[in-house]
């Protein structure tokens, strides 16, 4: 892991430098700690001479990796939250796999919402009126002025003491029964793929699969990689820097370059292939040099409720693609659900807070990971 002096660039954006070959690489841990993903996209610039053949190679590698989107399904359910207190149903969810659920299209800053994690922690975000009516233990939310307008409640469904007949269990069940039925997404993952869920007969549910698409920019402006800046970023050292002032200037230059890369990924995500024509309208400029020749750029996109294991399979695909000499870099951008009240496993999340990460994959197994956490409690 690189010892870069500035771990954050801009507001709420953290940057990690490492290598996939480094046994201390944290990329898997970071990805696993971000379970509620709504979309990801793989950005692949094609700068080789035989671009058609290069695209065919990419398709061949994609097939060999067997992503099999149809094996990664999730469910939309409409039920009472007290369903998770049914011991038979709950055991089927948490045994032999990981279960995730979150309320869908509940405005996290103004409506009641929930998330449920594999450790059995049910996280409720409640307005003041609901919190007082339910009578559950909780604390004021870190967000949403005015103060004490919203409350966070945590219930450990897998606690050995949380069993039928226990006074606290009965109080929670009674409280959850008083809440209106809620629409939510849920998913069970076992051995890296989605597993079936047997819902009670009276529970309304629908099954969905991940949706994939492919887009190509025919003449995108592809940035050049500044190897000297990367050398400094990864090693915190560059020959020729002998005083503190030059060192600080180089740090500023690296930060500006990295922020420009992050913004370039965002522009491509939004369909802007020639950034210099649009950067002034976007409120920022890009400190990047570009390839002399405009090149095609492929963007593969997956939408749905994406598991961390599915995203790690895409990382594996991306690592293989970078071994093709004609591809200078690959970027994997992943976006969380805005309406999940918890992100990064433990942090409370507000609607306005950023909730995504990007993996900037470079040759020789190196990578830079941008983690946008925004504001969390």
């Amino acid at each position: 892991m690189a010892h870069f002096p500035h771990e954050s660039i801009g507001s709420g954006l953290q940057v990690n430098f490492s290598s996939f070959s480094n046994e201390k690489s944290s990329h898997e841990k970071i990805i696993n700690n971000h379970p509620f993903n709504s979309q990801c996209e793989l950005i692949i610039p094609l700068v080789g001479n035989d671009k058609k053949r290069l695209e065919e190679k990419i398709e061949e590698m994609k097939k060999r990796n067997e992503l099999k989107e149809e094996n990664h399904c999730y469910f939309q359910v409409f039920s009472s939250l007290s369903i998770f207190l049914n011991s038979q149903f709950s055991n089927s969810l948490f045994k032999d796999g990981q279960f995730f659920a979150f309320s869908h299209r509940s405005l996290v800053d103004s409506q009641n919402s929930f998330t449920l994690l594999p450790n059995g922690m049910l996280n409720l975000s409640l307005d003041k009126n609901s919190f007082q009516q339910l009578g559950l233990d909780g604390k004021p939310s870190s967000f949403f002025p005015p103060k004490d307008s919203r409350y966070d409640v945590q219930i450990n469904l897998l606690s050995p003491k949380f069993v039928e007949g226990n006074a606290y269990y009965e109080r929670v069940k009674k409280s959850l029964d008083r809440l209106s039925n809620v629409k939510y997404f849920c998913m069970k993952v076992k051995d890296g793929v989605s597993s079936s869920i047997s819902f009670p007969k009276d529970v309304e549910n629908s099954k969905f699969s991940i949706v994939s698409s492919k887009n190509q920019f025919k003449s995108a402006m592809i940035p050049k990689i500044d190897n000297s800046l990367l050398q400094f970023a990864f090693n915190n050292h560059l020959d020729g820097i002998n005083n503190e002032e030059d060192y600080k200037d180089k740090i500023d230059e690296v930060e500006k370059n990295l922020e420009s890369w992050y913004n370039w990924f965002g522009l491509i995500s939004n369909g802007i292939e020639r950034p210099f024509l649009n950067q002034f309208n976007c409120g920022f400029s890009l400190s990047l040099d570009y390839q002399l020749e405009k090149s095609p750029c492929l963007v593969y996109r997956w939408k749905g409720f994406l598991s961390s294991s599915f995203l790690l399979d895409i990382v594996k695909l991306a690592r293989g693609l970078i071994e093709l000499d004609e591809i200078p870099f690959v970027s994997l951008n992943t976006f969380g659900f805005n309406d999940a009240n918890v992100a990064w496993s433990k942090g409370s999340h507000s609607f306005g807070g950023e909730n995504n990460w990007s993996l900037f994959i470079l040759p020789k197994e190196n990578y830079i990971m941008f983690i946008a956490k925004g504001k969390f409690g």
Side-chain angles (χ1 to χ4, degrees):
M1 189 74 67
H3 300 288
F4 190 59
H6 289 208
E7 293 184 355
S8 296
I9 294 177
S11 175
L13 181 63
Q14 297 181 5
V15 185
N16 289 349
F17 306 85
S18 191
S19 168
F20 294 115
S21 59
N22 185 342
E23 62 181 14
K24 295 183 179 180
S25 173
S26 61
H27 72 283
E28 287 193 19
K29 181 179 179 180
I30 292 170
I31 293 172
N32 282 321
N33 282 341
H34 192 261
F36 301 109
N37 306 287
S38 64
Q39 176 178 310
C40 73
E41 53 197 21
L42 198 59
I43 298 174
I44 311 168
L46 309 180
V47 299
N49 293 323
D50 191 347
K51 296 178 176 60
K52 184 176 180 180
R53 176 57 187 150
L54 180 56
E55 187 174 352
E56 290 173 352
K57 285 183 181 179
I58 293 171
E59 287 293 333
E60 290 170 4
M61 292 184 69
K62 186 172 177 286
K63 290 178 181 177
R64 284 203 303 271
N65 271 265
E66 297 184 340
L67 291 176
K68 293 184 178 179
E69 291 90 346
E70 65 275 11
N71 287 344
H72 295 269
C73 62
Y74 58 100
F75 296 85
Q76 180 176 278
V77 185
F78 184 69
S79 77
S80 166
L81 291 185
S82 61
I83 188 177
F84 298 121
L85 274 62
N86 178 312
S87 58
Q88 184 176 355
F89 180 60
S90 182
N91 288 337
S92 71
L93 298 179
F94 294 104
K95 187 177 180 181
D96 298 328
Q98 293 183 303
F99 180 75
F100 305 87
F102 72 98
S103 49
H104 179 47
R105 293 187 177 175
S106 297
L107 302 180
V108 71
D109 55 348
S110 61
Q111 297 176 323
N112 296 330
S113 62
F114 85 93
T115 53
L116 180 54
L117 297 170
N119 62 4
M121 193 63 69
L122 176 63
N123 302 278
L124 304 175
S125 176
L126 304 172
D127 59 50
K128 185 174 183 178
N129 185 50
S130 298
F131 175 73
Q132 291 176 337
Q133 287 183 2
L134 295 180
L136 295 172
D137 297 329
K139 61 181 181 179
S141 172
S142 303
F143 308 104
F144 315 119
K147 186 180 179 181
D148 298 345
S149 64
R150 296 193 63 80
Y151 288 79
D152 296 329
V153 174
Q154 287 192 323
I155 303 166
N156 186 353
L157 303 183
L158 297 184
S159 169
K161 297 180 181 180
F162 193 73
V163 293
E164 193 170 355
N166 175 275
Y168 178 59
Y169 172 96
E170 297 300 334
R171 181 158 64 95
V172 169
K173 186 177 186 307
K174 186 177 180 180
S175 296
L176 295 184
D177 281 337
R178 290 207 301 266
L179 281 175
S180 301
N181 285 3
V182 61
K183 182 180 290 186
Y184 55 93
F185 283 153
C186 66
M187 170 174 53
K188 182 177 179 180
V189 179
K190 182 179 179 181
D191 298 328
V193 297
S194 301
S195 177
S196 61
I197 299 175
S198 297
F199 295 94
K201 292 181 179 180
D202 60 341
V203 172
E204 179 183 331
N205 68 91
S206 302
K207 185 177 179 180
F208 293 89
S209 294
I210 293 172
V211 177
S212 62
S213 62
K214 174 185 172 184
N215 187 30
Q216 180 177 134
F217 298 105
K218 295 188 180 299
S219 55
M221 294 181 63
I222 309 299
K224 293 180 181 178
I225 294 175
D226 190 324
N227 289 317
S228 65
L229 288 181
L230 288 183
Q231 178 190 348
F232 180 81
F234 275 90
N235 303 315
N236 195 15
H237 170 76
L238 190 65
D239 293 337
I241 296 182
N242 300 312
N243 59 70
E244 185 176 351
E245 184 176 348
D246 288 346
Y247 184 76
K248 289 181 177 178
D249 288 343
K250 184 58 67 174
I251 288 176
D252 290 340
E253 188 179 356
V254 170
E255 289 189 347
K256 188 177 292 185
N257 182 261
L258 291 173
E259 191 169 14
S260 293
W261 273 104
Y262 184 72
N263 287 330
W264 184 83
F265 300 148
L267 290 171
I268 292 295
S269 293
N270 285 283
I272 300 172
E273 59 182 327
R274 300 187 184 184
F276 81 96
L277 297 175
N278 297 275
Q279 58 187 339
F280 301 107
N281 295 326
C282 296
F284 56 80
S285 59
L286 302 185
S287 300
L288 297 170
D289 292 326
Y290 296 92
Q291 306 279 351
L292 293 177
E293 180 183 348
K294 298 181 182 64
S295 300
C297 185
L298 291 177
V299 180
Y300 290 92
R301 187 171 283 115
W302 294 267
K303 292 183 178 181
F305 186 2
L306 312 180
S307 68
S308 297
S309 56
F310 179 72
L311 295 174
L312 287 170
D313 285 343
I314 298 178
V315 171
K316 182 179 177 181
L317 168 63
R319 290 175 62 183
L321 293 174
I322 202 67
E323 294 178 4
L324 301 175
D325 293 336
E326 302 94 332
I327 298 179
F329 63 86
V330 175
S331 173
L332 175 60
N333 303 331
T334 303
F335 305 89
F337 283 97
N338 283 330
D339 44 10
N341 62 30
V342 166
W344 304 105
S345 278
K346 296 181 180 179
S348 301
H349 177 54
S350 71
F351 182 82
E354 290 181 290
N355 180 19
N356 52 278
W357 55 264
S358 294
L359 194 61
F360 183 19
I361 301 174
L362 300 161
K364 299 180 180 179
E365 289 282 272
N366 290 324
Y367 70 81
I368 301 173
M369 196 165 193
F370 299 91
I371 306 164
K373 290 189 175 182
K375 295 180 179 180
F376 289 82

